[in-house]
Amino acid sequence: MRRRIIIDTDPGIDDAVAILLALAAPEKLEVLGIVAVAGNLPLTLTERNARRICELAGRADVPVYAGCARPMLRPLKTADHIHGETARDRLLLPEPTTALQTLHGVDFLIEALGTAEAGTITVCALGPLTNIAMALVKAPEVADKVGELVIMGGACFELGNVTPAAEFNIHVDPHAAALLIDSGIPTTIIPLDVTHQVLTTPSRLEALRLLGNRCGPAVAALLTSFEKRRRRKFGSRGRALHDPCVIAYLLRPALFGGREVNVAIETQSPLTIGMTVVDWWGVTGRRPNARLMNTVDAGGFFDLLTEKLARLP
Ligand SMILES: [Ca+2]
């Protein structure tokens, strides 16, 4: 069955790889639209990067919308030091030939969900959850239309990557995350516990570089530039591919394993704000509200990525 998906994203280097992977599998995924959000970079750059990625993939026909320019309550915190490469290096991503859609991204979400059958749309959340939460603030009735919300975000045993307790996407807009986790939408979470197992290696990057098309070497170059920056912080370990795990999960769910748990989002504490408090051992008695993944076949992931990206221009 072909899934109809909306990608909400803040590209961002690993967002770029995720979008390319989705566009490389049209027999499995119909991308209804891409909605940019402020996160890794400010909105003006994330929406433009989204269009540049579609251009690279030869899919300028995919509509790109701009959503929210800041989180619901907190000031925007970007990760420009890591993701600025996409803005600076014109060689890696071409300039877009198509214009941004005029409809606001939140209104696109409401419109696309509003006109769909109940439970038929998959929403892929690759950035802070502001747009999706705002869609539910404006039109709560569209929640029923979401068949599955797949979030790259949070952490269980891996704890945080932006503070000791919090993962970036949840930390940037914890209030949006808290609203969604309590929305009743069937939710799958791919946390750092999974993505920190999906690491680049020289041979995995080489396989992409050798694809002989435009997209494979571009992805290898993006990930290599990313890896250089990251090395200062995390040592010689490879670069974790966070967001593409969401698309890989849609394409090949058997690569991932997890369990139904209760997740609560910390929105109060200055020390741990944005922490995903996961009841892994079921000690609270709170009802499970998400399927949280904790295992992944990383080799299988890179095989899938390489196999699919080979099909792009
Ligand atoms: Ca992202």
Side-chain angles (χ1 to χ4, degrees):
M1 205 191 85
R2 197 161 174 240
R3 275 203 198 219
R4 306 178 76 213
I5 71 170
I6 296 171
I7 302 177
D8 194 273
T9 178
D10 61 339
I13 290 172
D14 54 325
D15 300 79
V17 182
I19 293 168
L20 291 172
L21 180 57
L23 296 178
E27 74 290 352
K28 288 263 188 112
L29 304 175
E30 182 187 356
V31 182
L32 302 179
I34 296 175
V35 187
V37 68
N40 284 322
L41 295 162
L43 182 66
T44 50
L45 290 178
T46 60
E47 65 85 356
R48 194 161 150 276
N49 278 343
R51 288 184 289 135
R52 293 169 77 196
I53 295 155
C54 292
E55 192 75 34
L56 178 71
R59 290 296 308 278
D61 58 297
V62 176
V64 174
Y65 303 83
C68 295
R70 53 156 288 176
M72 294 176 86
L73 296 184
R74 281 157 62 79
L76 177 63
K77 177 175 176 178
T78 63
D80 184 42
H81 56 292
I82 297 173
H83 296 272
E85 198 72 31
T86 55
R88 281 189 289 273
D89 197 334
R90 282 157 193 266
L91 295 174
L92 300 180
L93 294 174
E95 292 304 304
T97 56
T98 51
L100 182 68
Q101 297 288 314
T102 51
L103 187 66
H104 191 277
V106 171
D107 292 322
F108 165 71
L109 280 163
I110 293 169
E111 197 176 284
L113 293 169
T115 54
E117 298 284 312
T120 56
I121 307 280
T122 299
V123 177
C124 304
L126 310 182
L129 295 153
T130 318
N131 289 336
I132 306 162
M134 288 300 284
L136 294 199
V137 169
K138 196 171 177 187
E141 68 279 5
V142 301
D144 290 346
K145 306 300 184 74
V146 182
E148 187 173 8
L149 169 65
V150 188
I151 297 172
M152 188 282 124
C156 182
F157 298 104
E158 279 285 300
L159 296 172
N161 64 350
V162 63
T163 74
E167 178 278 332
F168 179 83
N169 285 346
I170 307 296
H171 184 254
V172 170
D173 198 341
H175 303 94
L179 186 151
L180 283 170
I181 201 74
D182 289 329
S183 68
I185 293 173
T187 299
T188 298
I189 298 179
I190 300 187
L192 295 180
D193 302 75
V194 165
T195 64
H196 281 176
Q197 299 174 51
V198 179
L199 302 174
T200 58
T201 64
S203 66
R204 285 166 175 171
L205 291 173
E206 188 64 7
L208 293 169
R209 205 171 285 123
L210 291 175
L211 282 180
N213 58 3
R214 183 169 75 215
C215 290
V219 166
L222 279 170
L223 293 175
T224 305
S225 68
F226 204 166
E227 196 166 313
K228 275 186 206 136
R229 280 152 203 287
R230 184 187 164 80
R231 201 159 279 166
R232 283 181 228 134
K233 187 167 166 191
F234 292 92
S236 62
R237 196 178 74 162
R239 148 87 187 124
L241 282 185
H242 305 287
D243 297 336
C245 287
V246 168
I247 307 299
Y249 162 76
L250 299 183
L251 294 175
R252 222 162 268 177
L255 293 174
F256 299 84
R259 66 164 81 162
E260 304 281 335
V261 292
N262 182 274
V263 179
I265 312 292
E266 175 57 60
T267 57
Q268 304 293 323
S269 159
L271 184 64
T272 59
I273 190 160
M275 184 175 187
T276 44
V277 180
V278 177
D279 185 8
W280 188 256
W281 304 112
V283 294
T284 62
R286 291 195 289 257
R287 240 166 30 88
N289 57 4
R291 182 163 177 78
L292 189 115
M293 297 302 177
N294 72 321
T295 64
V296 58
D297 170 0
F301 168 92
F302 277 95
D303 289 346
L304 174 70
L305 181 67
T306 309
E307 170 197 320
K308 294 295 181 199
L309 290 189
R311 302 162 70 192
L312 290 177

mmCIF file of all heavy atoms in Angstrom, residues 9-12 14-15 40 83 126-128 169 243, ligand 1:
data_model
loop_
_atom_site.group_PDB
_atom_site.id
_atom_site.type_symbol
_atom_site.label_atom_id
_atom_site.label_comp_id
_atom_site.label_asym_id
_atom_site.label_seq_id
_atom_site.Cartn_x
_atom_site.Cartn_y
_atom_site.Cartn_z
ATOM 1 N N THR A 9 9.420 19.719 8.613
ATOM 2 C CA THR A 9 10.875 19.596 8.637
ATOM 3 C C THR A 9 11.598 20.933 8.801
ATOM 4 O O THR A 9 11.039 21.981 8.477
ATOM 5 C CB THR A 9 11.317 18.898 7.325
ATOM 6 O OG1 THR A 9 12.719 18.788 7.268
ATOM 7 C CG2 THR A 9 10.839 19.656 6.092
ATOM 8 N N ASP A 10 12.833 20.870 9.273
ATOM 9 C CA ASP A 10 13.651 22.080 9.443
ATOM 10 C C ASP A 10 15.031 21.885 8.818
ATOM 11 O O ASP A 10 16.039 21.914 9.505
ATOM 12 C CB ASP A 10 13.772 22.442 10.935
ATOM 13 C CG ASP A 10 14.446 21.350 11.757
ATOM 14 O OD1 ASP A 10 14.467 20.176 11.318
ATOM 15 O OD2 ASP A 10 14.984 21.664 12.835
ATOM 16 N N PRO A 11 15.094 21.681 7.490
ATOM 17 C CA PRO A 11 16.380 21.300 6.884
ATOM 18 C C PRO A 11 17.438 22.394 6.967
ATOM 19 O O PRO A 11 17.191 23.510 6.586
ATOM 20 C CB PRO A 11 16.017 21.051 5.413
ATOM 21 C CG PRO A 11 14.592 21.401 5.221
ATOM 22 C CD PRO A 11 14.043 21.880 6.518
ATOM 23 N N GLY A 12 18.585 22.068 7.476
ATOM 24 C CA GLY A 12 19.007 20.862 8.172
ATOM 25 C C GLY A 12 19.526 19.726 7.273
ATOM 26 O O GLY A 12 18.948 19.394 6.262
ATOM 27 N N ASP A 14 20.438 16.364 8.103
ATOM 28 C CA ASP A 14 19.833 15.026 8.087
ATOM 29 C C ASP A 14 18.381 15.080 7.611
ATOM 30 O O ASP A 14 17.861 14.107 7.071
ATOM 31 C CB ASP A 14 20.009 14.259 9.400
ATOM 32 C CG ASP A 14 19.544 15.006 10.602
ATOM 33 O OD1 ASP A 14 19.687 16.245 10.642
ATOM 34 O OD2 ASP A 14 19.041 14.360 11.542
ATOM 35 N N ASP A 15 17.730 16.248 7.749
ATOM 36 C CA ASP A 15 16.412 16.436 7.116
ATOM 37 C C ASP A 15 16.527 16.267 5.607
ATOM 38 O O ASP A 15 15.654 15.670 4.966
ATOM 39 C CB ASP A 15 15.862 17.841 7.365
ATOM 40 C CG ASP A 15 15.669 18.163 8.821
ATOM 41 O OD1 ASP A 15 16.672 18.491 9.479
ATOM 42 O OD2 ASP A 15 14.526 18.084 9.293
ATOM 43 N N ASN A 40 16.478 23.898 13.235
ATOM 44 C CA ASN A 40 17.923 23.892 12.992
ATOM 45 C C ASN A 40 18.409 25.253 12.512
ATOM 46 O O ASN A 40 19.498 25.703 12.851
ATOM 47 C CB ASN A 40 18.280 22.865 11.916
ATOM 48 C CG ASN A 40 18.256 21.446 12.443
ATOM 49 O OD1 ASN A 40 18.659 21.187 13.566
ATOM 50 N ND2 ASN A 40 17.790 20.527 11.613
ATOM 51 N N HIS A 83 24.208 23.145 11.106
ATOM 52 C CA HIS A 83 23.464 23.004 9.848
ATOM 53 C C HIS A 83 23.686 24.151 8.873
ATOM 54 O O HIS A 83 23.144 24.135 7.773
ATOM 55 C CB HIS A 83 21.971 22.855 10.139
ATOM 56 C CG HIS A 83 21.661 21.605 10.897
ATOM 57 N ND1 HIS A 83 21.413 20.419 10.261
ATOM 58 C CD2 HIS A 83 21.607 21.352 12.222
ATOM 59 C CE1 HIS A 83 21.193 19.480 11.181
ATOM 60 N NE2 HIS A 83 21.308 20.036 12.369
ATOM 61 N N LEU A 126 10.066 15.943 11.534
ATOM 62 C CA LEU A 126 11.533 15.890 11.527
ATOM 63 C C LEU A 126 12.164 17.103 12.208
ATOM 64 O O LEU A 126 13.385 17.258 12.177
ATOM 65 C CB LEU A 126 12.051 15.808 10.080
ATOM 66 C CG LEU A 126 11.426 14.751 9.166
ATOM 67 C CD1 LEU A 126 12.097 14.789 7.797
ATOM 68 C CD2 LEU A 126 11.512 13.367 9.781
ATOM 69 N N GLY A 127 11.340 17.962 12.773
ATOM 70 C CA GLY A 127 11.857 19.165 13.433
ATOM 71 C C GLY A 127 11.054 19.425 14.690
ATOM 72 O O GLY A 127 10.291 18.569 15.146
ATOM 73 N N PRO A 128 11.197 20.628 15.254
ATOM 74 C CA PRO A 128 10.322 20.996 16.375
ATOM 75 C C PRO A 128 8.860 20.863 15.946
ATOM 76 O O PRO A 128 8.531 21.057 14.767
ATOM 77 C CB PRO A 128 10.708 22.450 16.639
ATOM 78 C CG PRO A 128 12.122 22.553 16.147
ATOM 79 C CD PRO A 128 12.192 21.662 14.944
ATOM 80 N N ASN A 169 14.891 18.579 19.035
ATOM 81 C CA ASN A 169 13.560 18.873 18.484
ATOM 82 C C ASN A 169 12.529 19.115 19.587
ATOM 83 O O ASN A 169 11.669 19.988 19.455
ATOM 84 C CB ASN A 169 13.070 17.721 17.598
ATOM 85 C CG ASN A 169 13.770 17.685 16.258
ATOM 86 O OD1 ASN A 169 14.432 18.651 15.869
ATOM 87 N ND2 ASN A 169 13.651 16.568 15.564
ATOM 88 N N ASP A 243 16.997 12.097 11.272
ATOM 89 C CA ASP A 243 15.702 12.215 10.581
ATOM 90 C C ASP A 243 15.427 11.124 9.544
ATOM 91 O O ASP A 243 14.268 10.703 9.398
ATOM 92 C CB ASP A 243 15.579 13.591 9.916
ATOM 93 C CG ASP A 243 15.606 14.715 10.937
ATOM 94 O OD1 ASP A 243 15.273 14.456 12.108
ATOM 95 O OD2 ASP A 243 15.945 15.848 10.559
HETATM 96 CA CA CA B 1 15.357 18.006 11.592
#
